[in-house]
Amino acid sequence: MFPAARRAVARHASRVIGAAPSLASRAYARSRLLSTLAVLEQRDGQLSHGSLSAFTAAKKLGGTVHGFIAGNSVASAAQEAAKVEGVEKIISVDNLSYEKGLPENYAPLLIENIKKGGYTHVIAGHTAFGKSVLPRVAAMLDSQQISDITAIENEATFVRPIYAGNAIATVESSDTIKFITIRGTAFAAETPGSGSAAIEAGVDPKSEPISEWVSEDLAKSDRPDLATAGKVVSGGRGLKSKEEFDKVMLPLADALGAAVGASRAAVDSGYADNSLQVGQTGKVVAPQLYMAVGISGAIQHLAGMKDSKVIAAINKDADAPIFQVADVGLVGDLFEKVPELTEKVKGS
């Protein structure tokens, strides 16, 4: 090969070799432009650890991760959240007006802090709080929310169940700010560790409240929280009354150290409080053990528990749909079988 030709080949080779780092650099630069605000929850100044799943999802996106928390006396909750590794900043607003998370009051606050931070993504849990506040914020900023995601493919593409979990949709968003609620059972909550995020006072617009918190009636229990429990026992319409529900289900839950759940039919019939409802319109759970007692297995109920690791069912109807998803099934009268099971668990 002539010398001039060799020099031309060398110059061409250097351009090709140099192209790969350039592409990598652009990808890295794009990830650095991503910035996510994880909206955290608290109650009476105590951090809701389940809401730390928002940090898990935010880290999967890449880029900078900030947390946001607001309410009355939230300093200690902010300090605890700041210990999560990989989080750069916690934005805190201490104001009694935001304590209950009323969407009409909370949305203007969140909007001001989103604008100040210039975030590309805003993430909250698919909880009662997240489902009420985030859609309002998204609408006010002319974005379309992506709800109840279970996976993140990239910064613009997300996976979510539809049709009560019978189909999976992959959704791509072109909105400037992407508002996302996440299914807590799909993203394990981060644990506060040795992180040292800065804590910064957020912008408080102090807007005139347009709604007022009147009262609440809380059911207190020493049993595990339904949303995060490793074991759940749920009762359905087959229990026939509230008295029988309490008589049959509560001893079993205590013997197993499990949380108590209920089907919508049981809740609508007044057997259990609506905070215990498992299903499409209730809580979505994925415990190690889910025991369905007197539950037929309607599609709406299955949407809230079919990701459980082991599903056990007790029902007198051998053709009940619940047996199609159960790992272990017992056909029989629950009023006989459950007390017998409870006694055996206590004696083991």
Side-chain angles (χ1 to χ4, degrees):
M1 184 181 291
F2 294 109
R6 283 200 298 269
R7 287 196 296 272
V9 171
R11 284 197 300 271
H12 178 69
S14 67
R15 286 197 296 270
V16 172
I17 293 169
S22 177
L23 290 172
S25 297
R26 285 199 293 270
Y28 175 77
R30 187 171 67 251
S31 72
R32 291 303 300 167
L33 290 173
L34 296 175
S35 58
T36 303
L37 183 66
V39 184
L40 307 177
E41 300 178 39
Q42 60 83 35
R43 188 177 185 88
D44 298 326
Q46 299 298 309
L47 180 66
S48 171
H49 288 88
S51 68
L52 294 178
S53 294
F55 280 146
T56 308
K59 289 181 182 180
K60 288 183 179 293
L61 286 167
T64 59
V65 177
H66 293 175
F68 181 85
I69 191 165
N72 186 43
S73 302
V74 295
S76 62
Q79 290 170 3
E80 187 175 3
K83 294 179 182 178
V84 175
E85 295 180 15
V87 178
E88 295 188 13
K89 185 189 298 183
I90 300 295
I91 300 168
S92 172
V93 177
D94 200 321
N95 188 327
L96 182 60
S97 300
Y98 309 120
E99 173 63 24
K100 299 301 182 180
L102 295 175
E104 297 85 357
N105 302 341
Y106 206 100
L109 166 72
L110 197 51
I111 286 170
E112 289 302 316
N113 286 277
I114 291 169
K115 288 180 177 178
K116 180 184 177 183
Y119 298 103
T120 59
H121 296 75
V122 179
I123 297 179
H126 195 66
T127 60
F129 170 79
K131 289 188 286 186
S132 63
V133 171
L134 218 60
R136 190 180 189 91
V137 175
M140 293 171 76
L141 292 177
D142 196 27
S143 291
Q144 182 170 326
Q145 178 175 304
I146 304 170
S147 301
D148 197 24
I149 71 164
T150 55
I152 296 171
E153 292 196 354
N154 56 52
E155 68 270 17
T157 311
F158 312 93
V159 178
R160 62 182 298 266
I162 57 175
Y163 304 131
N166 286 290
I168 302 298
T170 299
V171 182
E172 184 173 297
S173 171
S174 59
D175 287 333
T176 304
I177 306 175
K178 296 166 181 61
F179 292 90
I180 305 160
T181 59
I182 62 168
R183 180 170 292 194
T185 56
F187 298 88
E190 290 283 338
T191 303
S194 58
S196 57
I199 299 176
E200 177 183 295
V203 179
D204 187 353
K206 297 182 180 178
S207 305
E208 188 68 26
I210 60 174
S211 64
E212 178 186 357
W213 183 269
V214 178
S215 65
E216 64 183 350
D217 185 13
L218 297 176
K220 295 185 178 180
S221 174
D222 293 329
R223 297 184 184 90
D225 178 63
L226 177 60
T228 58
K231 301 175 185 175
V232 174
V233 293
S234 281
R237 200 199 318 256
L239 285 151
K240 298 183 179 180
S241 70
K242 176 173 173 51
E243 291 70 24
E244 292 295 343
F245 186 100
D246 292 346
K247 179 181 177 182
V248 172
M249 300 301 298
L250 301 189
L252 176 61
D254 292 337
L256 289 170
V260 176
S263 68
R264 178 168 181 170
V267 170
D268 288 348
S269 300
Y271 303 171
D273 187 79
N274 60 8
S275 64
L276 302 182
Q277 183 178 325
V278 174
Q280 185 179 9
T281 54
K283 289 185 171 66
V284 176
V285 299
Q288 294 296 317
L289 170 66
Y290 186 87
M291 183 169 289
V293 177
I295 294 175
S296 63
I299 188 173
Q300 291 84 358
H301 185 76
L302 298 183
M305 45 65 74
K306 64 181 181 181
D307 290 332
S308 303
K309 306 304 181 290
V310 175
I311 300 173
I314 300 176
N315 200 298
K316 68 179 180 181
D317 181 6
D319 295 323
I322 191 69
F323 288 123
Q324 296 177 14
V325 299
D327 298 290
V328 180
L330 175 61
V331 178
D333 185 347
L334 67 88
F335 296 106
E336 296 177 3
K337 301 301 182 182
V338 175
E340 182 182 347
L341 175 62
T342 301
E343 289 305 312
K344 288 186 176 181
V345 171
K346 286 180 179 179
S348 62

